[in-house]
Amino acid sequence: MHFSISRVMTSISITIVITIGIQAAISYASLTYLHDAVAEIAENRVPSFIHLGQLNTDLSDSRIAQSDYLSAAADKRSSFDEGLKSAFQAIDDDIRLYEPYLVDQADKDYLAAFKKKFAAASADWAEVKKLVDAGKVDEAKAQFYGPALKTYEVAGNTLQDAVNDMKGDVSGKGSDALSAIESAMLKTMGALGLLLLLSIGTGIFTFGY
């Protein structure tokens, strides 16, 4: 049999190139997955958390503005009207800023549910305000701290549910990204192990020949 060192070296070179190619493909796929997961969190979920947090804060502020109006003396209530308008406007602004970040149906469903429940809370407040303006303050307070309060709490709980669901989604994407990296590392180690075995086998064949 004719022995050719050049053929052996060519075989080794091809083996190395193929192994490196496999390793590069695995690494690229894993890094692409990681990039997409991080981009999703940074570009969508982080702003969503911020807007939902602000929406929850402004929801609480609107309740405070209503309480201030309810507690004010009759001749002072008009001065609280602007605060009420600003509080409700802030919520409308929060919703408008949050809507561009609705990426899946669950997000849209949560916001739709919040809008519906906040509309109910606003309707309850309109009834309370009518009672206050009619001088029926005790009746207004009973409504405000009873049924109306529960309606507001339901709206707030919807926001909290949205945040909790989003946290789970972010945690899941993070775990998937880490799993992809670990898998890539194992596959890369396997490819390197294969390269080592092939190199050893080729060396034994070359020098044993």
Side-chain angles (χ1 to χ4, degrees):
M1 180 184 291
H2 179 68
F3 174 77
S4 173
I5 188 67
S6 63
R7 289 183 179 179
V8 173
M9 294 306 295
T10 299
S11 297
I12 293 175
S13 299
I14 292 173
T15 301
I16 292 174
V17 170
I18 292 174
T19 305
I20 291 175
I22 293 172
Q23 179 184 350
I26 293 171
S27 299
Y28 176 78
S30 300
L31 288 175
T32 299
Y33 185 90
L34 177 61
H35 173 270
D36 292 344
V38 172
E40 166 68 11
I41 293 171
E43 296 174 7
N44 182 274
R45 289 319 191 189
V46 170
S48 293
F49 278 125
I50 293 173
H51 290 306
L52 282 175
Q54 187 60 52
L55 183 54
N56 191 51
T57 297
D58 289 335
L59 180 66
S60 297
D61 288 345
S62 70
R63 180 72 180 176
I64 293 171
Q66 293 169 18
S67 179
D68 290 341
Y69 184 91
L70 181 64
S71 301
D75 60 340
K76 302 290 185 181
R77 288 196 191 108
S78 60
S79 63
F80 289 92
D81 278 333
E82 192 61 37
L84 283 169
K85 292 177 183 178
S86 296
F88 284 106
Q89 183 60 51
I91 292 174
D92 288 340
D93 292 342
D94 292 336
I95 292 173
R96 176 177 53 80
L97 292 172
Y98 173 50
E99 284 178 328
Y101 298 97
L102 300 175
V103 295
D104 55 40
Q105 192 58 46
D107 296 335
K108 295 175 182 178
D109 290 344
Y110 278 123
L111 185 59
F114 171 77
K115 286 181 177 180
K116 182 177 180 180
K117 292 168 184 177
F118 180 67
S122 298
D124 281 351
W125 166 247
E127 293 300 318
V128 170
K129 191 173 184 297
K130 285 181 182 179
L131 291 172
V132 174
D133 294 342
K136 302 176 181 179
V137 178
D138 289 339
E139 189 176 345
K141 287 182 177 180
Q143 176 72 14
F144 183 75
Y145 293 109
L149 175 59
K150 292 180 180 179
T151 309
Y152 253 84
E153 288 175 343
V154 169
N157 289 340
T158 302
L159 293 180
Q160 189 58 53
D161 289 341
V163 170
N164 291 338
D165 187 67
M166 218 171 276
K167 286 180 179 178
D169 181 57
V170 169
S171 177
K173 282 185 169 60
S175 296
D176 289 345
L178 289 176
S179 296
I181 293 173
E182 291 173 356
S183 176
M185 291 176 65
L186 290 174
K187 291 176 181 177
T188 299
M189 291 174 65
L192 291 175
L194 177 61
L195 174 61
L196 178 61
L197 290 175
L198 289 173
S199 299
I200 293 174
T202 305
I204 292 174
F205 172 80
T206 300
F207 293 105
Y209 190 87

